[in-house]
Amino acid sequence: MGRVTSRTPVLRIRGQQRTTRPDAVAAEEPLEIRLNGTSLAVTMRTPGDDFDLVHGFLATEGVIGGPGDVAGLRYCDSVDVEGRNTYNVVDVDLAAGVPVPDTGLERNFYTSSSCGVCGKASIDAIRTKTAFDVAADTVRLPLEVLLVLPERLRAEQQVFAKTGGLHAAGLFASDGRLVALREDVGRHNAVDKVIGDGVRQGRLPLAGHVLMVSGRASFELTQKAAMAGIPVLAAVSAPSSLAVELAREVGITLIGFLRGDGCNVYTHQDRLVLPEQ
């Protein structure tokens, strides 16, 4: 398996002090996802939890609906200049009857760690329809539970503590209990890894849960939450206008600027239980 971090020499400047020392940086390597031997997508990710990433990506792109749609998956022989397996190619065998997606002009599955899925023909092409009725989710989330989630997420970011260079996504129960956490250089990869963990355990839809992300709430992350049946998406930073529009449309409670003792609730505020004033 690839390394999650690597060491590199740096010149450290702190005021008048100058020192040269090794420093840990987050690893970033390509992962190619193949279906039945045919390339489907390439994403730049932090190695680790790759099978979760693959399951989550396929589920949130509408390729699979659960673990039974995957007959098998394996690392392929992708070797470096020294002949060692890089573990950077995963081949997936879809179960009998599961259609292989059309990767023609309408959808372009090239992704990067910075921007997520890029080059899709239009907004309609990425408004993938979810099989779950997120709007019907009756979960209620006390404000005091919501406000502690960023601290709990940060406390579990082990690789971030070493490098300062990774996004995190955490899946929480409505009582604040952490269900799953994953880190990655790409925020969309971290989300796919968390959702993929749920896919592999047969727990979709992830009804009654909160998806907490360390960065902003983009359209793509909102779409992934909808595809997994997650009713609440919370972010420490801002949402985009398309994220707000999609959350309102599919029934997701979208929360931004979740920091300290406050937050902004953009859609479906009724799920939040506020203390009496």
Side-chain angles (χ1 to χ4, degrees):
M1 290 290 296
R3 294 175 296 174
V4 177
T5 64
S6 63
R7 306 286 288 180
T8 186
V10 299
L11 172 62
R12 181 182 172 92
I13 301 173
R14 297 294 184 271
Q16 297 299 315
Q17 293 185 338
R18 311 286 191 271
T19 57
T20 300
R21 52 174 288 182
D23 196 19
V25 295
E28 183 176 28
E29 296 182 12
L31 178 69
E32 180 183 0
I33 301 171
R34 297 177 182 173
L35 292 183
N36 304 326
T38 300
S39 181
L40 174 72
V42 177
T43 185
M44 299 301 297
R45 99 298 188 194
T46 300
D49 302 302
D50 287 335
F51 288 178
D52 285 345
L53 171 58
V54 171
H55 277 82
F57 177 81
L58 294 178
T60 58
E61 289 295 332
V63 179
I64 64 173
D69 290 342
V70 176
L73 72 167
R74 71 201 66 81
Y75 286 105
C76 297
D77 292 332
S78 56
V79 297
D80 59 19
V81 293
E82 298 179 0
R84 297 173 300 189
N85 195 327
T86 64
Y87 296 98
N88 284 340
V89 180
V90 173
D91 195 8
V92 181
D93 296 325
L94 295 178
V98 178
V100 177
D102 178 12
T103 57
L105 295 177
E106 184 181 5
R107 297 294 296 271
N108 181 341
F109 284 96
Y110 179 78
T111 69
S112 75
S113 60
S114 59
C115 67
V117 179
C118 302
K120 293 180 177 178
S122 66
I123 194 68
D124 292 334
I126 56 176
R127 199 179 291 274
T128 309
K129 298 300 182 182
T130 177
F132 308 122
D133 188 1
V134 184
D137 197 307
T138 60
V139 66
R140 301 277 283 168
L141 183 65
L143 177 62
E144 59 268 25
V145 171
L146 177 67
L147 293 178
V148 301
L149 297 188
E151 181 180 347
R152 291 184 180 177
L153 185 76
R154 178 65 181 84
E156 297 296 327
Q157 290 183 250
Q158 297 180 3
V159 183
F160 180 87
K162 298 177 182 178
T163 66
L166 287 183
H167 290 286
L171 185 71
F172 292 88
S174 59
D175 61 0
R177 175 177 52 87
L178 178 64
V179 177
L181 182 141
R182 298 290 186 272
E183 295 179 277
D184 201 279
V185 287
R187 60 173 59 89
H188 63 287
N189 287 337
V191 169
D192 277 341
K193 288 178 178 181
V194 164
I195 293 174
D197 174 71
V199 174
R200 296 178 71 188
Q201 296 186 44
R203 293 192 289 110
L204 261 63
L206 296 170
H209 288 78
V210 182
L211 177 63
M212 176 80 210
V213 296
S214 61
R216 60 187 176 85
S218 65
F219 176 92
E220 186 188 18
L221 298 193
T222 308
Q223 178 194 351
K224 289 179 181 297
M227 292 296 289
I230 300 173
V232 182
L233 172 60
V236 299
S237 191
S240 69
S241 61
L242 284 179
V244 174
E245 179 183 334
L246 180 61
R248 183 178 296 116
E249 176 183 317
V250 301
I252 287 176
T253 299
L254 181 61
I255 298 164
F257 297 105
L258 179 55
R259 308 168 187 170
D261 63 353
C263 62
N264 291 349
V265 186
Y266 292 87
T267 59
H268 300 281
Q269 297 91 341
D270 54 295
R271 287 199 179 102
L272 200 60
V273 181
L274 302 178
E276 294 184 4
Q277 293 183 325

